[in-house]
Amino acid sequence: MSIGVCYFPEHWPHEQWETDIRQMADAGIEYVRMAEFSWGVLEPERGAFDFEWLDEIVGLVGEYGMEAVLCTPTAAPPRWLVEERPEIRQRDRDGTVRDVGSRRHYCFNSDAYREETERVVRAMAERYADDPRVVGWQTDNEYGCHGTTRCYCDDCADAFRNWVREEYETVDALNEAWGTTFWSQQYDDFEQVDLPRPTPAQDHPSMLLDFARFASDSVVEYNRLQANLLREANEEWFVTHNFMNLFESVDAYEFDEDLDLIAWDSYPTGHAQQAGGETTADELRAGNPDLLSFNHDLYRSVLDRPFWVMEQQPGDVNWPPHSAQPAEGAMRLWAHHATAHGADTVVYFRWRRCLEGQEQYHAGLRKQDGTADRGYADATRAAEELFDLDHVDAPVALLHDYENAWALGEQSHAPDFDYWQLLQSFYASLRAHGVQVDIVHPENDLESYDAVVAPTLHLATESLADHLTAYVESGGELLLGPRTGVKDEFNKLRPGLQPGPLSALVGASVDQHETLPTRFEPTVARPDETDAEYAFRTWAEWLEADAGEPLLEYAGDDIEGGRTAAVRNAVGEGSVVYCGVWPESELANDLVGSLLDRAGVPQTDVLPDGVRVASRDGHTWVMNFRSDPVAVTVAEDASWRLGGPEIDSFDLAIAEIDAVDELSVQIRE
Amino acid sequence: MSIGVCYFPEHWPHEQWETDIRQMADAGIEYVRMAEFSWGVLEPERGAFDFEWLDEIVGLVGEYGMEAVLCTPTAAPPRWLVEERPEIRQRDRDGTVRDVGSRRHYCFNSDAYREETERVVRAMAERYADDPRVVGWQTDNEYGCHGTTRCYCDDCADAFRNWVREEYETVDALNEAWGTTFWSQQYDDFEQVDLPRPTPAQDHPSMLLDFARFASDSVVEYNRLQANLLREANEEWFVTHNFMNLFESVDAYEFDEDLDLIAWDSYPTGHAQQAGGETTADELRAGNPDLLSFNHDLYRSVLDRPFWVMEQQPGDVNWPPHSAQPAEGAMRLWAHHATAHGADTVVYFRWRRCLEGQEQYHAGLRKQDGTADRGYADATRAAEELFDLDHVDAPVALLHDYENAWALGEQSHAPDFDYWQLLQSFYASLRAHGVQVDIVHPENDLESYDAVVAPTLHLATESLADHLTAYVESGGELLLGPRTGVKDEFNKLRPGLQPGPLSALVGASVDQHETLPTRFEPTVARPDETDAEYAFRTWAEWLEADAGEPLLEYAGDDIEGGRTAAVRNAVGEGSVVYCGVWPESELANDLVGSLLDRAGVPQTDVLPDGVRVASRDGHTWVMNFRSDPVAVTVAEDASWRLGGPEIDSFDLAIAEIDAVDELSVQIRE
Amino acid sequence: MSIGVCYFPEHWPHEQWETDIRQMADAGIEYVRMAEFSWGVLEPERGAFDFEWLDEIVGLVGEYGMEAVLCTPTAAPPRWLVEERPEIRQRDRDGTVRDVGSRRHYCFNSDAYREETERVVRAMAERYADDPRVVGWQTDNEYGCHGTTRCYCDDCADAFRNWVREEYETVDALNEAWGTTFWSQQYDDFEQVDLPRPTPAQDHPSMLLDFARFASDSVVEYNRLQANLLREANEEWFVTHNFMNLFESVDAYEFDEDLDLIAWDSYPTGHAQQAGGETTADELRAGNPDLLSFNHDLYRSVLDRPFWVMEQQPGDVNWPPHSAQPAEGAMRLWAHHATAHGADTVVYFRWRRCLEGQEQYHAGLRKQDGTADRGYADATRAAEELFDLDHVDAPVALLHDYENAWALGEQSHAPDFDYWQLLQSFYASLRAHGVQVDIVHPENDLESYDAVVAPTLHLATESLADHLTAYVESGGELLLGPRTGVKDEFNKLRPGLQPGPLSALVGASVDQHETLPTRFEPTVARPDETDAEYAFRTWAEWLEADAGEPLLEYAGDDIEGGRTAAVRNAVGEGSVVYCGVWPESELANDLVGSLLDRAGVPQTDVLPDGVRVASRDGHTWVMNFRSDPVAVTVAEDASWRLGGPEIDSFDLAIAEIDAVDELSVQIRE
Ligand SMILES: [Mg+2]
Ligand SMILES: [Mg+2]
Ligand SMILES: [Mg+2]
Ligand SMILES: [Zn+2]
Ligand SMILES: [Zn+2]
Ligand SMILES: [Zn+2]
């Protein structure tokens, strides 16, 4: 487990370099990420590559006992390239060019840009193919950032036509798959297929889903071009890419063959402000631990191996609405939190606050004058405390699929229905019970999991139904959430009632669904236990139980009162619960707690908000994202690897215990 | 009085058709509306018409004793047509093309599209000219939906130039009429006339008003093309079009000669959410009865004959922010409510939930699996209960004019001033008194009305003043609202004070006007009765009474305190009240109640919100749009055609009584 | 001190003119402003100038003893001109043309439009060069209104390239100055320099700052063209331009050599609604006096001589969200308020409500029917009461710079950080102490001021630091606000800590900064006086005191608790306070009160909100912008030039006293 840092030597005078590198080594840093966005200095004019500066700094990195991770510089093509080949630029849906002047001003489907990419990546790869100080590569930077996954240029229109042609082969098959009789939308020829354009009313949802698939595939293909070039040059190198917080438009699962390592960029206090709702003071100081670990767990699960945090917030940052100073120790807490969730390396972004350009309001580990910034001591301390660990072994899987996000994103059917927030409702409850969770694709092999939670499986095929039924029949415990089994893979409604192919497994079908404003504060209750009501939000399905046993019914005397809201069905050696509402936290905790009980997964009592535990390799981290201190109760003979049972605000401890149910946490007054 | 349904056989397998048609007949359905948006299957390629499927389904409709209403399919030209003649597409104000991919992607002023329209309508009309099972036609679908009344393409620019030239004949007349000396906006030549384009500041209000007139006229002209073709083919057919909820950009009154029947599309729970403010739980379950009946009364009044609801919400729908399930019985209540307000036929949309395309989240009378959906029993029951009735005979007229909506919409002068909401304030008060109301153009013949309410007559000519004066002089009772007589027909201010040509009739003039934020909660009071204050909102005029007698004055000690807010003037055998503020409901009820008293119109005590009565042909409907039950008190010998004096939530009763003042309603606890 | 009025004879019938002019003279009006927007009537077709109407009306003005101020008509080029030379039109950032149809549809950098401007201005200037009744000129109207300072047309792109080339001479210097290594934004050639275009992410802040400078310079240059033509024709004429409320994009200081007189357009009830937050009822009736006087003080300070209000709100206006009637007397109060702050002349806009075009909802001194409107009596009374006065002599300077507004506007770093509001926080406190303030550029000569307040000096050079240090060393008292000394003149971060070159003067440096949501309601306190807490908002700097003495520290037990928030440093014969937070009013009053004490500037006790005093030439105005009356306590022998110690709502009094500390004001119950 190591610490790294992102460094941009090209932003600093040459005479500063060795001091910087020496100070990094002194801080305990092991990896230095460089060359991101450096095309302008690497190739100041066409063909005139200048690698000397990079050679020198890579040399210094090696001299001081560290290793270099290089980036391909393709996220920012220089002006001379845009001037020569202006067709590489993306276009907005209304045709407006996305011009040079910031970054990401290129189209993934541009043949011209793929040529240029090949040229620059090949040059870099060849230059460092035999350099032992370079251990791996980051391709590009944050694919899709700033809304650039989906482009509306002519190259993309051609590429989408080809993608559709390849997918459906005949135009009849296309018309059938999408369902184009509606509103006379039939295609006579593949040439009529086009990108989504400004139209008077809504677009066809099946076209939109395929466009989202195509756009994601275009990024995968573009990345493959880079990965292959790097692997050809040196097969020892790891190749990675830095993904982003809850990033919807690019399907990370599809990168599994093209990357050796998955990384993501973690900015806890920024992400907390993007999450919707009013950010609390503690979140503004340290972020929301469940939002962070959702990303950790997702990106760890893609390859089922340790991941990197490629950019770790080092202090205040430039882009969220408000940038409060992170709490004392937060930068250390985040490193441990990532490690507890399976990280291998945490790379702070950046070494020193940059004097020029768009990110001047972004801190580094050092201030602009070179002195230590607030994150420096945290990073140094984390570097000392981290130790080697086996991979995380999670007993529970949470099913997640980008295609569901795309389909539901285009037809949310309520302003407050959000795929990612629905997932968070279930995920946060798993975290509140202290359980490690893999976040995996629904078609993943599930047999290693004691329990599976599927917050929604909106698009569902027969084969997915078979897959889940087999899991339950062989003893698996499954919790299914609402809007499941609604659509087929083409985003068309099924002729049968919901949950479609999953109806037999669930033992119930959906009579009606409705969406309700959150201000109505609707509730459900257990049948015959009308005094304990559980709040839900936004989405409600009226179930007709068949084999399934009613588990929850709608409370109150409005028209849905007494109708079934959730069922449980025993199938083979396992069982399944289908919950037709979006649960608020108390209900989610109840459903998840019961699931873990049935599955025999050790769990904690419900943890206080902002306090989280996570186990890895025989160690259990107790992490306090709150400004008030907490006390941990553990088995008498438990020993502490780091800290102890009294944990300060924004601090952590590491216990050596066997299972999380040996432990409980209280807030200290 | 009948029930119908909208059916799209082209969305379903052929083997399903006869089952569907038989089930419709079983449900008591009499009319089946079809072929809307069907151009793609009717003419899969240019000239290759395929009517066989439609022949067959029309045959089945007839076989099962029902009648077919066909639609021209012009609201959705197929891709091959757009590909051949791309110039038919509309453009946004900034020039962006409104492309194929949804619906309504054609311009009303496109000669190319008029040719294509003529071709397809003629083919259909000829095909069914002698078919007795086809009884009538709907032209196109929802003209102007999705903001398509106003287009900014080159064809429209040419057409607008011609419209202006025809209207004004010389450019001097144009300059004089619009008043173009302001900001040097003079036209030297008609060729300089252009559509509203993106400009640095506000557009010229007189140009905007004529552009709105022109755009509406373009739709009227386009519809006339279709109506004439249909009438030529078979003069027995009725020709109708389905208008929309409070739809502003198309002047329905102008269709009077080109349609035999007016229809509109009623989605009560959706419209309630479009109305502004926070939708109540009852409105989310059944809609706002006054909003619905405003449309019923408007579209009934255009031809002064029974209208159709061409699309009746059958359950949950896809497009409002939230789609709660309608209350039990709501789908039946809406049918009766429409009938009580003068409907002839209520056509549910649609038969079955569609599996493909943009409207998958829209219920039908049958679910996607073919079983009965929630609206089915309601529709069947309504079909049984409806009976034949004479036309509604309304004693009161509410004056309404699209041109006022256009002029005020472009110069609202306050973010919260809305023409339609102002009308609703007066209209809801009439409904709260149980009185039937025609909603008619100000220049309409008024002599048959005992009382007339004009919430605002912003644009006013001398001839309109003469018309209203004659009405009052001969005994009419008139209630006028604020912002009346401000502008001439060219949207220019009058040189005299407001209400301009109506000043003599009103017996007062406007010294000043002002707009106030609603949070200030301003009030008026009767002179010398300062303890009873009535709230108003947004708009306040300070009146100088002349012949008129002050009726209300501003309350409080702010600067307007004590100034006159409303006057009453006796003129000839009638009288007029001019109210210079936008009344909140208590004040509106007071003004309207007094008006009805003076006019001798029978009225109820103020009805509870959501409970409404309506009389037609010797019957009086009592309709409960509330979730709590109500009790009706009637004359002892009153008999009940349907239900009785105890009315359940979302239920109704029909009493056979002579006048609504024989009846009162209380909410039951 | 005089009253004027804006008149548009071209909007009225010829037979009305003499009546209008006579009535103006009767009202006490001395100046009549005319010909604004009159190009269409002055030159109905190219070259065919028609001056006869203007000659006649200028003649009438002279005949009735008044003087004419003419406007160049360039703010509204006529249609024939746009038709001939369409390239004069501006473009939006996305390329959309800003078309003819309102006003300001021309580009400042269009050579074509400069030619046309020269032609029309020369013709007018020559026509009236020897006319004694024309005493001065207003160039154009409200440069930059409606977002027209910054244009994105090809002419502007060329002009910006030239501007940059001239500024930096070599492309290397440009790259160095802006810092283009970041994200590979290097320029290879000046030809690559372009206007800000739609880009995927943020734009380069150094480019944006220079673009803002360039755009302002373009307006200055365009105005110079007009001013030179007018001065050439008659050097006796004054040349002025009418600026706007807190108008950011045009640097008024840069007009100092090209204008003889600065004017601005004052619409108090509109400006109050633009200021953010919820407008109070009193503000809706009379505006916010501090917002108004900020403009008075700014535009007075540009040339350090009496200014004009070129457009004074006469009653209700057309453009704010709500337009309540101004309070009785407000139109008179505003005239006196302007005079107390240094105005020479107050010109009401407009004589009579216009019947046509975009401003029909704008009152005049006369109603549309020619009778007196509400402002008429106020204006007439003001005309009688005004008397001649020497120039305002302010003991305090508030430092203000458009470049800081531009830099902070592009990188506010918090949604609620606003340059102008920050200035208002300090300025309002100065006004609450009754002190006259000049609002001057930081590089201004400061020696005449007893105290200087600099709410923020974000961009700071060494020479500015020297300038301020010299001021303090020689006995000046300086109060500095947050975000000072952050950037160099190119909008790049400095390598040293903030406040950069001002650190030695301040005796402290900034360890960290953070932004906080206002709902957190953070506070500071004096060290060792924890019970008195002062609220601040949005911005917080953690200071490290060096020579400076800690003055304030953060209160509470959050992570910043106890850190230094403000310091005071004695330097030479003066002292400086640096405040690292944005103070709420109590803290601002405390800081400003202490500053004035140290500087020996006479001050009042903190005045009630909405009550303000201002001294000029031995007179002190007490002005009540509240609806409740106030009482003034003064030295026994003080005499009253106007009114007396009991002041009614929206009224004023003028005392003849020596210093404002002789006076205090209480609200009367
Ligand atoms: Mg996939
Ligand atoms: Mg009309
Ligand atoms: Mg300057
Ligand atoms: Zn593209
Ligand atoms: Zn058009
Ligand atoms: Zn330009």
Side-chain angles (χ1 to χ4, degrees), chain C residues 492-530:
Chain C
K492 289 208 309 289
L493 210 60
R494 306 184 156 284
L497 299 183
Q498 300 160 17
L502 289 157
S503 299
L505 174 60
V506 161
S509 62
V510 176
D511 174 35
Q512 300 294 340
H513 64 256
E514 62 177 349
T515 63
L516 299 169
T518 50
R519 64 189 151 86
F520 285 6
E521 300 182 355
T523 55
V524 292
R526 293 191 191 287
D528 311 319
E529 289 182 43
T530 49

Side-chain angles (χ1 to χ4, degrees), chain C residues 397-626:
Chain C
L398 184 129
L399 304 187
H400 155 263
D401 183 0
Y402 291 89
E403 301 199 344
N404 282 328
W406 300 334
L408 288 166
E410 296 290 0
Q411 287 190 308
S412 68
H413 198 47
D416 39 358
F417 191 96
D418 179 84
Y419 175 75
W420 299 93
Q421 285 184 30
L422 175 64
L423 261 61
Q424 281 291 315
S425 292
F426 286 90
Y427 176 79
S429 179
L430 287 161
R431 301 299 320 130
H433 288 88
V435 177
Q436 287 284 31
V437 184
D438 282 351
I439 296 180
V440 301
H441 193 274
E443 287 161 7
N444 226 53
D445 196 353
L446 300 174
E447 63 193 18
S448 69
Y449 299 108
D450 298 318
V452 170
V453 178
T456 185
L457 296 171
H458 186 62
L459 306 170
T461 58
E462 296 285 343
S463 90
L464 177 64
D466 294 346
H467 177 59
L468 293 173
T469 303
Y471 170 71
V472 179
E473 281 178 340
S474 66
E477 290 295 330
L478 176 63
L479 171 58
L480 279 168
R483 291 190 88 166
T484 283
V486 178
K487 301 272 202 133
D488 68 14
E489 64 198 291
F490 305 111
N491 211 8
K492 289 208 309 289
L493 210 60
R494 306 184 156 284
L497 299 183
Q498 300 160 17
L502 289 157
S503 299
L505 174 60
V506 161
S509 62
V510 176
D511 174 35
Q512 300 294 340
H513 64 256
E514 62 177 349
T515 63
L516 299 169
T518 50
R519 64 189 151 86
F520 285 6
E521 300 182 355
T523 55
V524 292
R526 293 191 191 287
D528 311 319
E529 289 182 43
T530 49
D531 46 344
E533 295 188 8
Y534 298 93
F536 71 90
R537 53 168 294 195
T538 305
W539 192 268
E541 289 167 5
W542 303 356
L543 305 180
E544 295 282 349
D546 176 8
E549 167 203 3
L551 191 67
L552 293 169
E553 62 182 34
Y554 292 96
D557 50 7
D558 199 355
I559 60 169
E560 75 282 12
R563 293 182 199 260
T564 301
V567 296
R568 183 179 165 204
N569 198 25
V571 176
E573 300 177 31
S575 72
V576 57
V577 167
Y578 182 86
C579 174
V581 300
W582 179 339
E584 295 283 16
S585 62
E586 200 187 347
L587 176 55
N589 285 341
D590 187 274
L591 292 167
V592 163
S594 304
L595 176 81
L596 298 174
D597 271 346
R598 286 198 305 277
V601 176
Q603 55 178 301
T604 61
D605 291 340
V606 173
L607 295 165
D609 284 350
V611 183
R612 289 296 181 253
V613 309
S615 300
R616 181 180 180 187
D617 193 16
H619 299 77
T620 295
W621 283 250
V622 186
M623 294 163 290
N624 183 15
F625 283 70
R626 300 176 69 109

Side-chain angles (χ1 to χ4, degrees), chain A residues 10-11 37-41 44 76-80 83 94 96-105 146 148 278-281 284-285 316-318 320-328 350 353-361 367-369 371 373-374, chain C residues 94 178-188 191-192 194 197-206 408 411 413-416 458 483 486-487 491-498 510-520 538-539 542 558-560 563:
Chain A
E10 66 271 31
H11 294 165
F37 306 118
S38 66
W39 200 334
V41 289
R79 288 185 196 275
W80 60 258
E83 202 178 11
D94 71 354
T96 307
V97 167
R98 295 174 186 159
D99 218 330
V100 61
S102 60
R103 58 178 182 178
R104 303 218 58 72
H105 42 283
H146 315 301
T148 57
E278 204 165 77
T279 314
T280 66
L284 213 62
R285 295 291 184 202
D316 56 291
V317 289
N318 61 310
H322 290 97
S323 194
Q325 282 296 324
E328 307 281 358
R350 58 183 64 213
R353 188 180 289 266
C354 186
L355 301 183
E356 70 187 36
Q358 281 89 332
E359 291 180 349
Q360 298 176 44
Y361 279 96
K367 294 182 183 174
Q368 66 266 42
D369 69 341
T371 60
D373 208 340
R374 289 186 79 231
Chain C
D94 71 355
W178 285 4
T180 56
T181 306
F182 190 81
W183 290 354
S184 282
Q185 296 176 84
Q186 297 92 341
Y187 292 86
D188 310 302
E191 283 309 304
Q192 289 171 342
D194 200 1
R197 300 290 183 196
T199 56
Q202 317 91 302
D203 295 284
H204 197 293
S206 299
L408 288 166
Q411 287 190 308
H413 198 47
D416 39 358
H458 186 62
R483 291 190 88 166
V486 178
K487 301 272 202 133
N491 211 8
K492 289 208 309 289
L493 210 60
R494 306 184 156 284
L497 299 183
Q498 300 160 17
V510 176
D511 174 35
Q512 300 294 340
H513 64 256
E514 62 177 349
T515 63
L516 299 169
T518 50
R519 64 189 151 86
F520 285 6
T538 305
W539 192 268
W542 303 356
D558 199 355
I559 60 169
E560 75 282 12
R563 293 182 199 260

Side-chain angles (χ1 to χ4, degrees), chain A residues 194 197-200, chain B residues 82 89-90 97-103 105:
Chain A
D194 200 1
R197 300 291 182 196
T199 56
Chain B
V82 181
R89 297 171 301 173
Q90 295 197 332
V97 167
R98 294 172 185 161
D99 218 329
V100 61
S102 62
R103 58 178 180 178
H105 42 283

Side-chain angles (χ1 to χ4, degrees), chain A residues 88-91 107-110 151-157:
Chain A
I88 67 163
R89 296 171 301 173
Q90 297 198 330
R91 284 182 184 268
C107 171
F108 294 108
N109 286 304
S110 161
C151 165
Y152 302 85
C153 78
D154 291 347
D155 283 338
C156 283

